[in-house]
Amino acid sequence: MSKVPTRADAVQLDRLDRLAAYRARFSLPADVCYLDGNSLGALPRGTSARLHQVIEQQWGHDLIRSWNAHGWIDLPQRIGAALAPLVGASADEIIVCDSVSVNLFKLLSAALRRNDPRKVILTEASNFPTDVYVAQGLVRTGVSAAELRVVPRTELECNLDEHVAVLLLTHVDYQSAAAHDIRRLTDQAHRAGALVLWDLSHSVGAMPLSLADDQVDFAVGCGYKYLCGGPGAPAFAFVAQRHLPQLESALVGWMGHQQPFAFAIDYRPADGIDRLLCGTPPILSMMALEVGVQLIAEIGITAIREKSQALTEFFRQCVEPWLAESGLRWGSPLNPTQRGSHLSLHHPAAHAIVQALIAQRVIGDFRAPDLVRLGFAAPYVSFVDVWEAADRLREMMRTGSYDQPQYHVRAKVT
Ligand SMILES: *Cc1c(COP(=O)(O)O)cnc(C)c1O
């Protein structure tokens, strides 16, 4: 399609879309273009019924017996096993627990311990802030004798020296959507004697990953974005099999004990990945996440990636003809194979533009200082959604209608 796409083109693309039927598996308001699945995935239709059953039957009626009778105690491993094919790992290398931030703390401390006496955590200045904060906290409190080195993205490779214990990176950049080459950087880190810890928050559920084939050591990822696990859904942690026997995290608790119900006073780690557990899993949140993971796995990660690339390219075709004169500036890689499933546009009035879009039922988000960020979650976003979003954005930029006082008011969450 070289000409400017029309709404009829979008309708036609939706007709040909093999994933189109899956939109009905999500509960979305009919009049909304939801382009923020990269921040909070949409609600799968199956989730409400599942939670209702778990609450009324399992919690309400079966009570504490449910830990065994309904397998509550095995949920961290069970959801981990369902996630494994999505990231190219084996079931016993993944556990679902805590938040990404907490899992980063556990795995960073474990990586430092594993690569002793090296001390340096190497990361990039444009990493997601929580990744850097967790590393700063580890260093400041002396939990691990570590040193943090934060460098520009372009200087990562030349900083892989003999002091680096672990390279800490996010696969898909939360701002630009630029994707690192996991295989290449992991290989380079290994050749320099460093371990790698990848944050997959913006890629899991949106694109296929091959952690085992790429020889990744450690990884974490988010449950509430493309996995549609619900607000604050638990995260996951991955540890390559070869590191499991020696794995020692600085944050341990009774659920990671070899025999939690022996109530022994001395900590003995469980075998394998289970030792990354700390406290009691949040069962309701785990159940909701399981529905999301099963649905994403059913749709198929290869098909999801294919459609997400088509959606982002379609958006680009829609906005390309008028983008320059609108004052918006492209903020993502032009090559779809080099980016994740969202797109960013720079504009000094980005916050007001996003608020005005939301008022017109196109939901995206603003990322400081100047980004309009739009996510294209393939399981439920249609080509017509994309066309409508581009059309409303075009009209808004043409008339300047976003420049109104109410759109400049900043809420706590942007
Ligand atoms: C969303 C996101 C997180 C979220 O961390 P939580 O501790 O689970 O809130 C972490 N890292 C990246 C790169 C993210 O995009």
Side-chain angles (χ1 to χ4, degrees), residues 99-101 128 130-131 170 199 201-202 224-225:
S99 60
V100 173
S101 305
F128 190 78
T130 208
D131 298 55
T170 294
D199 185 337
S201 293
H202 274 284
Y224 53 80
K225 291 170 179 157

Side-chain angles (χ1 to χ4, degrees), residues 63-200:
L63 291 156
I64 200 163
R65 293 170 290 185
S66 297
W67 282 104
N68 293 309
H70 298 294
W72 287 0
I73 196 69
D74 299 319
L75 276 169
Q77 296 84 357
R78 188 165 97 200
I79 306 173
L83 259 172
L86 295 177
V87 297
S90 353
D92 58 359
E93 294 174 311
I94 298 202
I95 193 104
V96 171
C97 54
D98 302 312
S99 60
V100 173
S101 305
V102 172
N103 289 331
L104 281 166
F105 182 89
K106 293 185 240 177
L107 292 184
L108 265 185
S109 68
L112 286 161
R113 186 105 178 140
R114 185 95 172 94
N115 213 356
D116 191 59
R118 291 183 175 216
K119 300 273 178 276
V120 172
I121 301 168
L122 175 63
T123 193
E124 65 177 294
S126 46
N127 202 344
F128 190 78
T130 208
D131 298 55
V132 182
Y133 300 161
V134 168
Q136 286 170 345
L138 255 181
V139 170
R140 203 177 301 133
T141 57
V143 170
S144 299
E147 189 185 310
L148 178 62
R149 197 187 291 168
V150 184
V151 305
R153 189 177 176 91
T154 48
E155 290 169 28
L156 285 166
E157 294 167 38
C158 62
N159 267 284
L160 276 169
D161 59 30
E162 73 279 12
H163 304 294
V164 177
V166 53
L167 175 64
L168 166 66
L169 291 176
T170 294
H171 177 207
V172 170
D173 188 276
Y174 77 105
Q175 294 196 304
S176 70
H180 274 303
D181 185 335
I182 292 185
R183 181 180 296 235
R184 194 177 56 78
L185 278 162
T186 298
D187 186 52
Q188 261 175 338
H190 286 169
R191 279 192 276 121
L195 296 166
V196 293
L197 169 47
W198 285 102
D199 185 337
L200 308 172

